Amino acid sequence: MKLRTKTWLAVTAATGLALGGFSPALAAGNAGPTEHTDMGVTGDAVMDHLQKISDISTSHADEGFRALGTPGYEESVEYVEQTLEATGAFDVERQAFEVDNQTFGEVAANVDGEDLEVTEASYTEGTEEPLTDLPVALPVDDDYSDLAGGQLGCAASDFDDSAEGALVLVARGTCSFGEKTQAATDAGAAAVILYNNDTSAPDEPLNATLGERIENGAPTVGVSYNVGNDLLTKIEAAAEGEPLLADFTLETEYTTSTTWNVIAETKAGDHDNVQMFGAHLDGVAEGPGANDNGSGSAALLASAEALAEQPTEADNAIRFGWWAAEEVGLVGSTHYVENLGEAELSKVKSYMNFDMIGSDNYIVGTLDSDGSDVPIPDGVNVPEGSAELEGIFTDYFADIDQPNVGTDFSGRSDYQAFIDNGIPASGLFSGADGTKTEQEAEWFGGTVGDKHDTNYHQSTDTIENVSKESVDIFAPAIGFAVHTLAYDLVDEPTDPPTDPTDPPTDPTDPPTDPTDPPTDDPTDDPTDDPTDDPTDDPS
């Protein structure tokens, strides 16, 4: 569990997150806040917006809900825009761009007469017609039990001649999925099966993305560790010169869709010091995406409305982003960051990401940008200031005695493009396809051994299956983070305040208050004192 001191108080201009100095609110004669608050953001407010987003999604169930290129997504964009414009506090922009959209038909793999449970990889190429009687081959390795070495298939040299025209089995790890498919393609493979390396969740399907289309690339699917390991055992046991044979089909179609990010920035605040918050608005075609990621999108709307109602204007500009095309490879957020330009990019001082906050078997997770709970994966950039951003949440939770855990800071969601460009990042996460541990169940309740979100990427990701208890925890935390990065605190007023109309006192002036009241008896006659006798001779 994360427990800390007030690390966010150390967030200074040195880390580029919050700058002191001139305050627009103070200049206007309105004292700013003396402490940070959650701005009254509640789970109920988030659920109100989530209900609207959910209704939009389900009304377009026959058209792919809220997925890329669907009418449901466009209507959701319009709802976000209308909500923000109604506050009067934001400049709202719709950023259009084009993206390849991929749909799938039949996807199947059968090895030695047995059908395998496979999941198509995003950006894979398809088969022009079913492939039959493919030999099944492995990369070259001297130890296939260590999930390392040649079996990772990161280079064409990891394969020998047996890969030519074959279905090759490659383990997850070290290099990207796209690099594995490219290596197998270069070695002449006809198709690729990638298998998961997570032995702690051996039945976990592998949902891989190749990142981008690979010209003439080998069609690629993913399988769980158990499916892959069983297939590995069968391939090794096959008699020399008599490989297993497979049938493989992957039907896919690419179309180009126009889609939109929605960007909203406070009219108030220092626009050279932008603190940014984001969530992806799109979902998958398999379900209405209430948790993934209607929940994060709704939380941003509730926080934006609360910020607009604050009694003083923000010191730092707050920018919200609702991202498109996250589900097909973080496309919207990447497009946004890459098109900012150097000058505009330098104005963005921080980014907070909220991708799912209502998982039914939830955890209270922070993106572990300091690596204290989950080691930072190799190759992941952690810009300076990211740990301080995480500290905003861990300190908040510590103050309310809310247990919380660090989750992978791996770039798996829309903060990837920001950290790749040196912008500090953190965020919150209620869990997706990870498995609940006994310790997590003790802290957060729920079912040990089940996924954190048992409806992830399924038709059952409905608002009825969103955990209101989880949303109630996350909603005020997000509001608190927005307030913390929006405002520079001012000192408490003196008690009692001085009256500015009173003139200053000159210490040399005689007192204005009367002395003690005079005595009723006169003082002694000075002649009674012999020392005062004028006849005395001083000599």
Side-chain angles (χ1 to χ4, degrees):
M1 180 172 69
K2 299 272 192 176
L3 292 174
R4 309 184 180 214
T5 57
K6 297 292 188 186
T7 54
W8 57 263
L9 291 175
V11 177
T12 65
T15 58
L17 301 183
L19 303 178
F22 179 81
S23 165
L26 293 179
N30 299 318
T34 58
E35 62 180 359
H36 291 304
T37 77
D38 61 20
M39 303 189 297
V41 179
T42 65
D44 287 341
V46 174
M47 294 301 290
D48 285 345
H49 288 299
L50 182 55
Q51 185 67 64
K52 299 290 181 57
I53 294 172
S54 174
D55 289 345
I56 291 170
S57 295
T58 55
S59 71
H60 294 282
D62 294 338
E63 301 165 292
F65 296 100
R66 209 172 61 249
L68 170 67
T70 63
Y73 181 75
E74 183 171 6
E75 190 174 337
S76 299
V77 165
E78 292 168 353
Y79 174 70
V80 169
E81 290 173 329
Q82 292 164 4
T83 302
L84 295 164
E85 288 166 352
T87 69
F90 298 93
D91 291 319
V92 184
E93 171 193 359
R94 185 189 294 203
Q95 183 187 38
F97 60 98
E98 291 189 342
V99 60
D100 284 342
N101 189 18
Q102 186 177 22
T103 57
F104 292 95
E106 182 182 0
V107 179
N110 180 290
V111 178
D112 197 29
E114 180 181 354
D115 290 332
L116 305 183
E117 283 191 36
V118 299
T119 303
E120 65 276 355
S122 297
Y123 291 105
T124 181
E125 295 300 299
T127 55
E128 293 184 5
E129 57 186 19
L131 304 177
T132 59
D133 293 331
L134 297 177
V136 184
L138 296 170
V140 177
D141 199 351
D142 58 0
D143 181 2
Y144 290 100
S145 66
D146 59 2
L147 293 169
Q151 73 185 108
L152 299 176
C154 290
S157 58
D158 288 337
F159 300 88
D160 61 15
D161 292 345
S162 66
E164 183 73 34
L167 170 63
V168 296
L169 177 68
V170 177
R172 180 182 188 176
T174 302
C175 60
S176 70
F177 298 128
E179 289 173 309
K180 293 175 187 292
T181 294
Q182 183 66 68
T185 300
D186 293 343
V192 180
I193 293 179
L194 304 171
Y195 69 102
N196 214 338
N197 60 356
D198 188 355
T199 57
S200 66
D203 293 316
E204 192 71 33
L206 180 59
N207 294 293
T209 177
L210 306 186
E212 60 184 2
R213 293 183 70 175
I214 297 172
E215 186 175 358
N216 299 317
T220 302
V221 297
V223 298
S224 69
Y225 170 79
N226 273 345
V227 171
N229 194 56
D230 287 348
L231 183 54
L232 169 66
T233 301
K234 290 179 180 179
I235 298 170
E236 289 186 294
E240 186 174 350
E242 298 181 14
L244 300 179
L245 297 180
D247 297 334
F248 187 95
T249 300
L250 198 162
E251 296 176 348
T252 188
E253 179 183 9
Y254 283 94
T255 57
T256 300
S257 299
T258 298
T259 192
W260 308 273
N261 294 324
V262 180
I263 310 298
E265 185 163 335
T266 52
K267 295 178 180 179
D270 180 0
H271 296 284
D272 289 328
N273 186 24
V274 176
Q275 315 292 335
M276 193 159 188
F277 297 78
H280 75 87
L281 183 59
D282 66 313
V284 295
E286 290 77 15
N291 186 39
D292 185 18
N293 183 36
S295 61
S297 294
L300 288 194
L301 286 174
S303 297
E305 287 181 323
L307 181 61
E309 294 171 357
Q310 294 307 294
T312 58
E313 293 183 340
D315 298 310
N316 306 313
I318 298 297
R319 184 180 299 169
F320 294 101
W322 286 264
W323 308 121
E326 187 272 352
E327 296 289 3
V328 296
L330 315 179
V331 180
S333 54
T334 302
H335 173 84
Y336 174 77
V337 173
E338 290 181 348
N339 284 271
L340 278 178
E342 186 174 345
E344 288 301 311
L345 188 67
S346 68
K347 297 176 183 179
V348 181
K349 306 302 182 183
S350 68
Y351 176 73
M352 294 284 213
N353 195 66
F354 308 103
D355 188 353
M356 303 167 62
I357 64 165
S359 306
D360 60 329
N361 198 29
Y362 73 90
I363 57 172
V364 179
T366 64
L367 294 184
D368 194 14
S369 47
D370 67 356
S372 58
D373 280 1
V374 183
I376 304 296
D378 292 342
V380 174
N381 182 45
V382 185
E384 183 180 357
S386 297
E388 286 81 0
L389 287 176
E390 186 192 6
I392 294 175
F393 297 118
T394 53
D395 293 340
Y396 170 82
F397 289 134
D399 276 351
I400 63 172
D401 296 324
Q402 172 60 59
N404 54 99
V405 295
T407 61
D408 287 347
F409 191 80
S410 58
R412 184 177 172 179
S413 191
D414 286 301
Y415 61 96
Q416 176 71 69
F418 290 87
I419 62 176
D420 283 349
N421 284 274
I423 296 172
S426 192
L428 295 176
F429 179 50
S430 61
D433 50 4
T435 302
K436 175 153 284 187
T437 66
E438 290 185 4
Q439 181 65 82
E440 290 169 351
E442 180 180 335
W443 285 338
F444 312 119
T447 305
V448 175
D450 282 0
K451 293 180 181 179
H452 296 136
D453 181 5
T454 64
N455 307 291
Y456 182 57
H457 284 189
Q458 297 177 52
S459 60
T460 52
D461 187 6
T462 64
I463 192 168
E464 292 79 14
N465 287 328
V466 168
S467 169
K468 176 61 161 42
E469 182 177 282
S470 178
V471 173
D472 284 340
I473 295 169
F474 282 93
I478 295 171
F480 182 85
V482 171
H483 192 277
T484 298
L485 293 181
Y487 288 99
D488 301 331
L489 298 183
V490 298
D491 293 334
E492 291 275 6
T494 57
D495 188 20
T498 56
D499 186 347
T501 62
D502 287 344
T505 301
D506 187 335
T508 62
D509 288 344
T512 56
D513 294 334
T515 59
D516 291 338
T519 60
D520 293 334
D521 297 331
T523 57
D524 292 337
D525 189 326
T527 58
D528 292 340
D529 187 346
T531 62
D532 292 333
D533 189 346
T535 61
D536 286 349
D537 187 351
S539 61

